[in-house]
Amino acid sequence: MLSGNEHIKRLIETMIVKGREPHSLIITGEHGQGRKTAAKYIAQALLCEKQTGRPCGKCRTCRMIADGVHPDVMTAAANENGNYPVDSIREIVSGAVIAPNEGRLKVYLIPDFDKSKITGEQVQNILLKLIEEPPDHVVIILTADSREAFLPTILSRAVSLGVTPCTKEECVSYLGTLNKYEYGDIAEAADALGGNIGLCIEYLDRGAIYSAVQNAREIARALAAGNTYGLLKILNDCDSKKGLLRQTLVLTSIIARDSALSRLGGEMIGCSAQGAKELSVRYGSTRCERIYRIISEYIARLDRNCSKTLVINSLCAELSGI
Ligand SMILES: [Zn+2]
């Protein structure tokens, strides 16, 4: 079920009702905001037996797509480092000419395309032919964190849709329907992570984001107390798990952003309103903004594959000199 994102639902509905279905779509948005859910929603809307423009969610086709077992809805598999093997994409292109098994369309989902950093360009060049001249029965849906993952030749031929976060209320009400979590825990997750349903579920299941939230709160506390040693210790502890350091820094930067804007009455979107307040009391808006900029710069260095140890040590040194 796709929560919120009424703009996507309405656009797809209009396209289907008017018989102007796109053959290639690009869905972008942050991790956890429902890109894959939106892709499945579109596949359901296209193939639903009721054909109203919106998936009924109840027919056999809708249920098979939801369960990931519909023979005409195929999801490409990346290898473990996120790259799509070139051969598997060639297979998609050559298999695409074959008519669908049971539906009127064949839908290919190619998720998390931004992670295919090594083969991304090559894969797009292979897909280009199919995207330029798709058979009538083919729909390709690519998802990524941003449009930057794609070549202009692909972007110019695909319909781009951005998923947007749900409101906190939509998120809480959706998580409640899963009958899996306590209301108190749901409220806590939504408070920390806003309307990002994917991240809230990861938090409730005690995945990496849960540790990242705790770390970011501790870092804000250590910074507000001028505790450089504490800061260094938390960051070094993050170093052991893949991705945890980056996620922790992203969440910390949002707290710093909140603290810089707090006196202006800006909306708090980070995982610690308390931390943001304490930082703002100790440093004032201008220095909080510097903290935000410094942390953002170090996130960029991590993305450029700088050594984690170097990032941690230099970041601590810069932050303790604020
Ligand atoms: Zn249906």
Side-chain angles (χ1 to χ4, degrees), residues 4-291:
N5 286 293
E6 197 51 41
H7 63 295
I8 292 184
K9 294 175 182 169
R10 227 175 290 137
L11 182 70
I12 294 298
E13 182 178 17
T14 311
M15 286 174 155
I16 292 175
V17 170
K18 295 197 169 159
R20 286 211 305 263
E21 292 145 357
H23 287 284
S24 31
L25 293 125
I26 285 176
I27 302 174
T28 55
E30 270 174 46
H31 170 69
Q33 276 180 356
R35 297 176 313 214
K36 267 174 262 178
T37 311
K40 263 192 178 181
Y41 174 94
I42 294 170
Q44 283 179 318
L46 290 168
L47 290 169
C48 173
E49 291 160 28
K50 302 257 161 69
Q51 285 295 297
T52 60
R54 296 196 178 216
C56 73
K58 295 191 178 93
C59 71
R60 181 171 159 275
T61 303
C62 280
R63 280 185 285 122
M64 282 173 88
I65 296 172
D67 293 340
V69 296
H70 195 285
D72 293 321
V73 179
M74 287 141 291
T75 304
N79 60 26
E80 65 211 7
N81 55 24
N83 284 290
Y84 282 100
V86 171
D87 287 344
S88 71
I89 302 298
R90 284 212 180 92
E91 267 171 44
I92 290 182
V93 174
S94 58
V97 292
I98 302 165
N101 289 291
E102 45 182 87
R104 62 188 184 96
L105 296 165
K106 255 175 149 172
V107 183
Y108 292 97
L109 307 180
I110 308 181
D112 297 325
F113 199 78
D114 51 293
K115 295 198 182 131
S116 190
K117 291 206 193 303
I118 299 170
T119 60
E121 197 170 327
Q122 207 184 345
V123 160
Q124 289 180 76
N125 284 322
I126 296 169
L127 281 173
L128 187 59
K129 179 102 186 65
L130 185 59
I131 289 178
E132 272 176 333
E133 293 164 34
D136 282 344
H137 62 257
V138 169
V139 177
I140 300 167
I141 307 178
L142 296 132
T143 79
D145 59 353
S146 83
R147 284 165 52 91
E148 283 166 31
F150 301 100
L151 299 172
T153 44
I154 300 281
L155 285 174
S156 66
R157 288 173 175 86
V159 172
S160 278
L161 301 167
V163 288
T164 49
C166 301
T167 63
K168 223 184 250 188
E169 291 70 30
E170 283 168 336
C171 175
V172 168
S173 101
Y174 171 74
L175 293 170
T177 63
L178 299 179
N179 289 323
K180 194 176 160 196
Y181 308 108
E182 299 284 338
Y183 179 75
D185 294 339
I186 292 176
E188 183 193 309
D191 259 343
L193 299 161
N196 189 315
I197 291 174
L199 286 183
C200 283
I201 290 176
E202 197 184 323
Y203 182 95
L204 289 161
D205 291 336
R206 298 294 182 255
I209 192 72
Y210 181 80
S211 313
V213 166
Q214 313 308 323
N215 288 340
R217 286 174 178 162
E218 280 183 45
I219 290 174
R221 217 170 295 140
L223 267 175
N227 177 0
T228 311
Y229 172 76
L231 182 64
L232 193 58
K233 186 176 177 313
I234 304 158
L235 288 171
N236 273 320
D237 287 349
C238 301
D239 197 2
S240 57
K241 259 201 217 153
K242 198 179 166 234
L244 182 58
L245 178 62
R246 187 183 192 283
Q247 219 163 19
T248 297
L249 291 182
V250 169
L251 292 173
T252 311
S253 75
I254 300 171
I255 299 175
R257 179 214 153 269
D258 281 351
S259 66
L261 298 176
S262 68
R263 298 231 174 117
L264 304 169
E267 194 201 346
M268 298 271 187
I269 56 168
C271 63
S272 176
Q274 181 63 28
K277 231 175 274 160
E278 287 173 15
L279 282 177
S280 142
V281 168
R282 181 178 172 110
Y283 295 103
S285 319
T286 315
R287 284 199 289 166
C288 285
E289 204 199 315
R290 260 181 66 205
I291 295 175

